[in-house]
Each structure stands twice: as structure tokens, then as C-alpha cells.
């Protein structure tokens, strides 16, 4: 997607990398190696749709194999192109390093608009794409592990798994060839919500920084903050729901394909999603006003903009009109590098994609580990913990002479289920990564923004991997 000054998404990613690289003293050769995409598989394959054959254009890009397997989602969109997939694969390498997920970065893309195909046709395309990946060793538990992205979800991941298993009979770790699967097919509880939940944890942490919030003229805490969300798909819907229900945030605006709606007093996101399911649109949701121009979501009066659709949505043509103090990049690459220069000048804080939407790959990592261990998280310790805590509650009741009610007992005397452990691991990852980035931002004087700080945090880890391998000592 191009903007006025023809800055592509990939150019924006490379420009951020170059800015960060210039602030490190890493060897030039190492930086050059880290910057480039290692393997690019561009494919064309025929699929019979109705009575004719369509030639489908698709990609898988492995940006870095400094850690294996490589990992990254698969996007179905008519806007998919090689450069876009390269940009997304590059981001994945830094995202994984940043949140200590031991994978290299990759991404896949199929240039189709899913709306134009029936589920049967989508299944055919997905299976054929997977076959191409198998033929070239671009998929496998130790090679390259796809996941959902824009336009794909658990259904597509189930088709990928089944196709892989058909060809790789007897591969005991076959389940780990793809993540984001349905629970019944080796998926993990909490994966579908993971990216949105991670966005919530990251945003909540930023909003707890008293000094920064006072510089922005905002009170600390997410409660009562006014959010505008673009894109009510997987990431946007969970970010909205969790921010509203667990954080007390107010969603004042929502932008979707069909238009943008606003209500300064708040839009109940759960009811809105039900309304959209029933009517097929967010428009005319009771209590809201429709904007004349869908694209004007960027200039709505709010505290935080949450772009959760596609890249390059905030560009130099609309950046000046932004009233929000914070941009929470739930989508990948929603702010172009030109727009970022303008926004930083305006004092807007940007929480970068590489950090903020890393919840998806974090929980995908948990799913991959679950598949390799062939056991659900919590199975071994749940009852043991529950019994131990229960004895402890009995002891406290006995020694204090107090009666501990059923409600309190159930709260304390319980062992963790898979979903509890997944959420706990995700929360820990998002919080500890936030402070790693913040530490770099605070300690290195020349770094003024979270994106460069996040790139440098990740770069240092990747560089240390190369050094440990004995390459570029
Ligand atoms: P999705 O397909 O589930 O949802 C995207 C939504 O955005 C759709 O509802 C679509 O109608 C809407 N949309 C598209 N263009 C729009 C526009 N111009 N204006 C308003 N709405 C528009 O996709 P997703 O999985 O939620 O991914 C969204 C973004 O998050 C992408 O950038 C993706 O790379 C990124 N991301 C996704 C995950 C994940 O786990 N799914 C993980 C990390 C990052």
C-alpha cells in the first residue's frame, strides 16, 4: 500500500531498522545480515473454482533462520504482495526476539479476498498452498510454523494441519506444524484472544507510567480512557472487549469496512459485535452517529487510537489531524515512517506493533510447546496445588478460629487450568517486555521513542545469538 510520498510498508520497516541500527555499535556485516530476508518463496498454483481454473499468487518469506523454526502468520487478502510479506516477516524476527520467543521471523500471504470464495473453495486454496509449502520444506514443527493473520483463523489452521499430516504420516510432532488451531485439534485455550489481550496488557502498562501520562496531560490508568478502534476483527474485537470489561476503558468510536460510528459516552463493544453479527454491519447501532467519511476515524476526539486493521492507515496525509495522545499499534505497520515523524513532533506516544501485538506469537509459542510435550498445561500440578492450598486454608481457619466462606475458599484453594497459565504467561511476557524496552529508552539518551527502543532491545538479543553461534564475533 503506497502513501503520498510513496513510502511502502517494507520501506517503513527498513527505515525504523536503520534508525535503530545507527544507534548501536554492532558490526556492519552483522547488521546487514540481520536486515535482509533470508528465503523468499514466491509461488503460483492453479485451483479449480467453479468451472474454471484460477492461478493463485502466494508467498512464504522466512526473514531470519538465526533461530529455528521460523514463525509467522498467513494472510489472505487481495492486497498481498511480496514486499508486504517481506515487511511482515521482518517484523516477526524482531517481535520474537523482543518477547523471548525462540523463533526466527516468517510470514505467508495468499493474494485472495476470502469474501469472494465459498468455504469449500477456501479449503481447496488453503490445502493447495500448504502442499506447496511442504514440497519446498517451508513448513514443519522444526522448520517453519504458520499461524493465523488477517483473513485467516482456526478453521484455516485446521486445514493446514490436516494437509500436513496427510503427507507426513507418522510424524509424532506433526501437531506442532501450525499454531492457532481449534482446541479440538491441538490448539491451546486463550490463543484466539491472545493478540487482543496482549494489546490490553501492553497499553495498560504504558498508562501506568505516571511521569509519561502527566507529560501527555492524562491521568494514570486505563479506566475511563477513551479509545477509537479501527477494525473489529480478531485483534480489534478482543482488544475492545477486554479493555472495556477488564480495564474500564470507554470505546467512543469504531471504524469498519462499512463505515465509522461514534458516541462520546461510549459504545458497548460486546453488544455492537452481536449487532454486527445479526445485521451484517456496525452502521445504525443505537446511540451512535455515523461519520460522513469512514477515514475520519483518525481525527476523532479520543485519548487513544487503536488501529487494528491493516498497514499504512495513518500516513502523512492524515497524521496532522490526530487528536489522540497515544497510538496503540494493534495491527502491523499501521503508521508509516513519514507519519511517525510528524506524530513524534506532535508529542504523540506510539506503542509499536513489534511489541504491542506480540501476544499472538507468545501464545502460539505456548501452543507449540504444548504440542511437542503432548500434554495440556496444568495437567500435572492442578490437583496437587488445589489440595495443598485447601489444606492451607483449613490450617488458617483452625489457627485463627475464623470461618472461611465457600466463595473465599474457591478463590484461594484452586489449581491453575490451561487458560489461567496461558493468560499468566502472556501477562508476564507483555509486562516484562515493556520494561525491557522502557529501560533501553530511558538509559540510552538518543532514543526518544518506543519503536526505536523496541528495535534496539530486539537487535541486541539477535546480535548476541549470532555472537554465541561464533558468527561475527
Ligand atoms: P481480521 O481479518 O480478523 O480483522 C481485520 C478487520 O479489519 C476486519 O474486520 C476488516 O473488515 C477490518 N478492516 C479492513 N480494512 C479496513 C479499513 N480500511 N477500515 C476499517 N476496517 C477495516 O484480522 P486480524 O487477525 O484481527 O489482524 C488485524 C491486524 O493485526 C493485521 O495487521 C495483522 O497482521 C495484525 N496481527 C494479527 C495477529 C493475530 O493473531 N490475528 C497477531 C499479530 C498481529
Amino acid at each position: 500500500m503506497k502513501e503520498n510520498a510513496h513510502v511502502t510498508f517494507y520501506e517503513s520497516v527498513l527505515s525504523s531498522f536503520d534508525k535503530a541500527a545507527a544507534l548501536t555499535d554492532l558490526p556492519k556485516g552483522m547488521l546487514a545480515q540481520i536486515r535482509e530476508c533470508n528465503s523468499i518463496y514466491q509461488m503460483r498454483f492453479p485451483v479449480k473454482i467453479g468451472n474454471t481454473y484460477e492461478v493463485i499468487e502466494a508467498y512464504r518469506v522466512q526473514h531470519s533462520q538465526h533461530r529455528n523454526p521460523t514463525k509467522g502468520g498467513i494472510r489472505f487478502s487481495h492486497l498481498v504482495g511480496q514486499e508486504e510479506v517481506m515487511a511482515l516477516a521482518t517484523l516477526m524476527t524482531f517481535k520474537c526476539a523482543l518477547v523471548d520467543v525462540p523463533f526466527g521471523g516468517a510470514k505467508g500471504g495468499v493474494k485472495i479476498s476470502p469474501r469472494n470464495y465459498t468455504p469449500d473453495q477456501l479449503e481447496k486454496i488453503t490445502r493447495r498452498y500448504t502442499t506447496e509449502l511442504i514440497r519446498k520444506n517451508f513448513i514443519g514443527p522444526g522448520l517453519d510454523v504458520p499461524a493465523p493473520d488477517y483473513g485467516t483463523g482456526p478453521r484455516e489452521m485446521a486445514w493446514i494441519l490436516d494437509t500436513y499430516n496427510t503427507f507426513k504420516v507418522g510424524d509424532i510432532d506433526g501437531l506442532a506444524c501450525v499454531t492457532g488451531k481449534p482446541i479440538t485439534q491441538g490448539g491451546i485455550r486463550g490463543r484466539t484472544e491472545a493478540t487482543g489481550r496482549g494489546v490490553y496488557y501492553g497499553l495498560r502498562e504504558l498508562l501506568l507510567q505516571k511521569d509519561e501520562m502527566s507529560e501527555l496531560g492524562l491521568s494514570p490508568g486505563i479506566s475511563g480512557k477513551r479509545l477509537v478502534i479501527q477494525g473489529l476483527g480478531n485483534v480489534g474485537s478482543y482488544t475492545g472487549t477486554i479493555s472495556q470489561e477488564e480495564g474500564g476503558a470507554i470505546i467512543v468510536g469504531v471504524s469498519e469496512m462499512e463505515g465509522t460510528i461514534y458516541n462520546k459516552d461510549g459504545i458497548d463493544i460486546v453488544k455492537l459485535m452481536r449487532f454486527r453479527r445479526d445485521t451484517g454491519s456496525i452502521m445504525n447501532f443505537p446511540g451512535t452517529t455515523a461519520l460522513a467519511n469512514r477515514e475520519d476515524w483518525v481525527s476523532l476526539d479520543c485519548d487513544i487510537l487503536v488501529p487494528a486493521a491493516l498497514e499504512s492507515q495513518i500516513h502523512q496525509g492524515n497524521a496532522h489531524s490526530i487528536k489522540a495522545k497515544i497510538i496503540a499499534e494493534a495491527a502491523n505497520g499501521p503508521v508509516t515512517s513519514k507519519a511517525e515523524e510528524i506524530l513524534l513532533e506532535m508529542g504523540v506516544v506510539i506503542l509499536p506493533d513489534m511489541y504491542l501485538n506480540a501476544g499472538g506469537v507468545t501464545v502460539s509459542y505456548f501452543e507449540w510447546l504444548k504440542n511437542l510435550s503432548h500434554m495440556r498445561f496444568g495437567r500435572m500440578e492442578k490437583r496437587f496445588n488445589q489440595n495443598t492450598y485447601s489444606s492451607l486454608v483449613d490450617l488458617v481457619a483452625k489457627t485463627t478460629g475464623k470461618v472461611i466462606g465457600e466463595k473465599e475458599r474457591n478463590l484461594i484453594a484452586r489449581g491453575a487450568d490451561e487458560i489461567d497459565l496461558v493468560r499468566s504467561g502472556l501477562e508476564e511476557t507483555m509486562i516484562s517486555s515493556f520494561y525491557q524496552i522502557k529501560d533501553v529508552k530511558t538509559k540510552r539518551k538518543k532514543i526518544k521513542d518506543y519503536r526505536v527502543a523496541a528495535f534496539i532491545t530486539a537487535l541486541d538479543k539477535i546480535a548476541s545469538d549470532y555472537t554465541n553461534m561464533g558468527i561475527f564475533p
Side-chain angles (χ1 to χ4, degrees):
M1 211 179 275
K2 299 230 171 192
E3 69 164 325
N4 316 359
H6 304 296
V7 179
T8 64
F9 177 23
Y10 188 45
E11 284 164 353
S12 280
V13 171
L14 291 182
S15 147
S16 304
F17 172 89
D18 292 340
K19 257 192 240 167
L23 296 173
T24 68
D25 48 16
L26 295 169
K28 268 195 176 158
M30 184 194 277
L31 288 170
Q33 169 63 33
I34 295 174
R35 189 178 190 266
E36 301 305 326
C37 291
N38 292 173
S39 314
I40 301 170
Y41 178 20
Q42 184 197 96
M43 63 198 100
R44 301 279 193 285
F45 51 81
V47 178
K48 195 169 183 199
I49 305 290
N51 291 325
T52 54
Y53 278 94
E54 265 183 42
V55 177
I56 309 282
E57 175 185 334
Y59 303 87
R60 184 75 185 170
V61 174
Q62 294 172 348
H63 172 261
S64 176
Q65 289 122 352
H66 76 288
R67 292 243 176 170
N68 282 301
T70 51
K71 183 105 191 67
I74 293 176
R75 176 174 288 197
F76 282 5
S77 157
H78 67 285
L79 297 170
V80 159
Q82 183 170 317
E83 272 216 351
E84 182 192 59
V85 185
M86 287 166 75
L88 291 161
T90 307
L91 274 180
M92 282 306 297
T93 293
F94 295 95
K95 198 179 292 187
C96 290
L98 186 64
V99 295
D100 296 316
V101 164
F103 300 140
K107 205 81 181 189
V110 181
K111 192 176 169 61
I112 54 162
S113 184
R115 282 161 220 258
N116 297 341
Y117 297 92
T118 64
D120 281 353
Q121 293 167 343
L122 283 172
E123 180 174 351
K124 256 188 180 177
I125 296 169
T126 310
R127 286 185 182 277
R128 182 58 205 257
Y129 174 68
T130 311
T131 311
E132 294 297 324
L133 297 179
I134 296 168
R135 278 151 66 119
K136 293 281 194 290
N137 270 342
F138 267 70
I139 185 170
L143 292 173
D144 189 352
V145 183
D149 190 69
Y150 185 93
T152 60
R155 180 184 65 174
E156 286 74 17
M157 302 308 115
W159 292 332
I160 292 174
L161 172 67
D162 188 56
T163 311
Y164 182 85
N165 280 340
T166 306
F167 284 87
K168 304 279 178 177
V169 182
D171 181 350
I172 195 163
D173 290 326
L175 270 183
C177 78
V178 62
T179 59
K181 303 178 290 288
I183 311 284
T184 49
Q185 272 128 301
I188 195 166
R189 287 158 191 85
R191 172 61 184 89
T192 310
E193 65 167 28
T195 309
R197 179 168 285 282
V199 171
Y200 165 67
Y201 289 142
L203 187 55
R204 188 187 65 181
E205 216 51 41
L206 171 72
L207 289 163
L208 285 174
Q209 311 307 305
K210 287 193 182 126
D211 293 356
E212 266 179 278
M213 288 312 110
S214 116
E215 276 174 32
L216 290 176
L218 293 174
S219 61
I222 192 164
S223 179
K225 293 293 177 304
R226 298 167 306 147
L227 269 59
V228 170
I229 300 176
Q230 185 204 30
L232 214 51
N234 173 281
V235 180
S237 64
Y238 280 106
T239 300
T241 310
I242 297 168
S243 300
Q244 175 183 288
E245 301 204 325
E246 294 183 24
I250 304 167
I251 319 298
V252 293
V254 174
S255 183
E256 247 299 336
M257 291 302 236
E258 54 271 21
T260 300
I261 54 171
Y262 184 73
N263 179 353
K264 70 174 176 36
D265 299 322
I267 299 167
D268 186 316
I269 206 87
V270 180
K271 287 188 184 154
L272 175 65
M273 286 189 329
R274 208 173 303 136
F275 179 85
R276 189 172 192 234
R277 257 196 304 274
D278 294 344
T279 66
S281 171
I282 59 167
M283 306 316 282
N284 301 317
F285 182 65
T288 60
T289 314
L291 301 196
N293 183 0
R294 178 184 79 180
E295 314 305 332
D296 288 345
W297 68 280
V298 285
S299 49
L300 282 172
D301 187 20
C302 66
D303 302 313
I304 301 157
L305 280 185
V306 186
L310 281 173
E311 59 268 16
S312 310
Q313 299 299 302
I314 298 174
H315 44 80
Q316 63 177 354
N318 62 13
H320 283 291
S321 69
I322 286 174
K323 297 190 184 75
K325 305 274 175 57
I326 295 169
I327 296 180
E329 291 190 334
N332 282 311
V335 178
T336 67
S337 54
K338 294 268 180 205
E340 180 164 67
E341 283 168 22
I342 298 168
L343 291 164
L344 293 178
E345 198 63 35
M346 286 161 63
V348 174
V349 171
I350 302 173
L351 262 188
D353 45 11
M354 181 201 309
Y355 161 66
L356 199 63
N357 66 35
V361 76
T362 302
V363 176
S364 272
Y365 169 46
F366 300 158
E367 181 175 332
W368 182 77
L369 290 174
K370 172 186 180 178
N371 295 153
L372 294 180
S373 74
H374 300 264
M375 189 162 51
R376 148 176 78 78
F377 286 107
R379 179 172 169 185
M380 299 292 275
E381 65 272 37
K382 181 182 153 97
R383 291 289 152 183
F384 176 80
N385 287 342
Q386 193 158 311
N387 295 339
T388 308
Y389 300 148
S390 192
S391 309
L392 212 65
V393 172
D394 289 343
L395 193 66
V396 170
K398 203 170 147 198
T399 39
T400 60
K402 294 217 165 115
V403 177
I404 296 177
E406 199 60 22
K407 204 171 152 203
E408 283 80 12
R409 176 180 288 275
N410 288 342
L411 211 66
I412 305 163
R414 64 186 285 266
D417 279 318
E418 184 170 83
I419 185 73
D420 303 313
L421 295 168
V422 165
R423 286 181 180 162
S424 157
L426 174 61
E427 187 173 11
E428 165 60 18
T429 302
M430 294 308 293
I431 294 176
S432 62
S433 303
F434 177 84
Y435 289 104
Q436 284 177 34
I437 304 170
K438 182 150 171 138
D439 196 47
V440 168
K441 183 171 169 276
T442 318
K443 288 198 180 133
R444 303 209 199 168
K445 293 243 158 17
K446 285 186 185 152
I447 304 175
K448 295 193 179 60
D449 65 284
Y450 279 99
R451 192 184 316 277
V452 170
F455 256 109
I456 291 184
T457 311
L459 251 176
D460 282 346
K461 295 185 190 183
I462 299 166
S464 111
D465 279 342
Y466 273 111
T467 310
N468 292 340
M469 278 187 262
I471 310 174
F472 307 111

